[in-house]
Amino acid sequence: MSPADPARPAPGDTVIFDVDGTLVDSTYHHALAWHRAFKECSVDVPLWRVHRAVGMGGDRLVTAVAGEEVEQQHGDRLRELWEAGYDELLPEVDPLPGAAELVRRLHGQGFVLAVGSSGKPKYTDAALDSLGVRDLFAAVTTSEDAQESKPAADILRAALESAGGSRAVVVGDTPYDVEAASSLGAACVTVRTGGFGAEELEAAGAAHVADSLEDLHDADWVAFVARGA
């Protein structure tokens, strides 16, 4: 294909990846770590409700699942306990099938690649190390690179700017990714690997819902980028 071929990405077209639940199979590990933290602080929150909040930043999760009073009384301690608990589970977290191959395919097609994660830098680093594709990303942004976490668009905007991109499509697994992408003016391609159903991802505004990353290997990514332009 020539550089002018419309099937090729334009210079600056960027694919921004979420990490947890999108590139690595960590959603339920995070949920379990949070659930154990709540139990340690004698806060009764069912595990299913915790899972439904995984994907937003940890600064928002406590209030979302347990209320503002719990955040005020226990927020910092809960986040400490969650981090310690997830550290123990981290060796069990594996890349999702097709993740590394999708990253390589998109890079080979000429897209600018970036990471926009609400997670801590050390967990994003561990995920990229496990995937073996760190050098293919033009930018990696995490919770430390944005004032507000998802579902705000700050992290995605920082990723796009840091990568030098002009427009983007976001790849995520939760309605929070979709909301953040929408605020950025980008389409969001979603996978069900975070445990959310197709109907609710579509209702949130996802441009496309796939069962797995492998189902996206041959997708029309130029069209996805253009959809959010």
Side-chain angles (χ1 to χ4, degrees):
M1 292 183 182
S2 68
D5 193 310
R8 296 288 295 182
D13 283 358
T14 306
V15 181
I16 304 175
F17 283 92
D18 174 57
V19 174
D20 289 301
T22 301
L23 290 176
V24 295
D25 195 9
S26 58
T27 296
Y28 296 96
H29 300 78
H30 279 296
L32 184 58
W34 276 112
H35 186 249
R36 288 171 174 172
F38 281 115
K39 290 186 70 175
E40 182 71 18
C41 290
S42 300
V43 177
D44 185 17
V45 178
L47 183 56
W48 73 264
R49 190 176 297 278
V50 178
H51 164 254
R52 301 285 300 179
V54 172
M56 64 175 63
D59 56 327
R60 299 174 181 266
L61 186 144
V62 175
T63 299
V65 302
E68 184 62 37
E69 184 176 347
V70 172
E71 167 61 36
Q72 292 177 354
Q73 293 181 354
H74 304 290
D76 290 341
R77 178 59 177 158
L78 283 165
R79 281 180 282 276
E80 290 175 358
L81 290 168
W82 155 74
E83 184 173 355
Y86 188 71
D87 283 344
E88 293 181 3
L89 295 170
L90 188 58
E92 301 176 24
V93 175
D94 296 318
L96 281 160
E101 176 62 20
L102 179 60
V103 170
R104 293 189 184 100
R105 282 174 177 247
L106 291 174
H107 184 267
Q109 291 170 17
F111 287 96
V112 177
L113 304 183
V115 167
S117 171
S118 289
K120 285 183 170 292
K122 66 178 180 179
Y123 299 142
T124 300
D125 287 341
L128 295 181
D129 287 343
S130 71
L131 287 161
V133 292
R134 176 189 295 272
D135 59 325
L136 302 185
F137 288 97
V140 176
T141 57
T142 63
S143 58
E144 293 188 353
D145 299 302
Q147 184 172 355
E148 292 192 50
S149 62
K150 294 176 187 175
D154 294 22
I155 291 168
L156 302 182
R157 188 170 293 110
L160 183 61
E161 292 175 355
S162 181
S166 56
R167 57 182 185 170
V169 60
V170 175
V171 186
D173 64 293
T174 71
Y176 314 117
D177 295 310
V178 179
E179 183 177 343
S182 178
S183 297
L184 183 68
C188 188
V189 173
T190 57
V191 283
R192 295 184 55 205
T193 46
F196 285 88
E199 290 185 358
E200 57 190 321
L201 292 170
E202 290 168 354
H208 182 79
V209 180
D211 285 340
S212 71
L213 293 170
E214 294 167 308
D215 294 335
L216 295 172
H217 284 180
D218 297 318
D220 187 350
W221 288 89
V222 171
F224 288 148
V225 174
R227 183 165 177 173

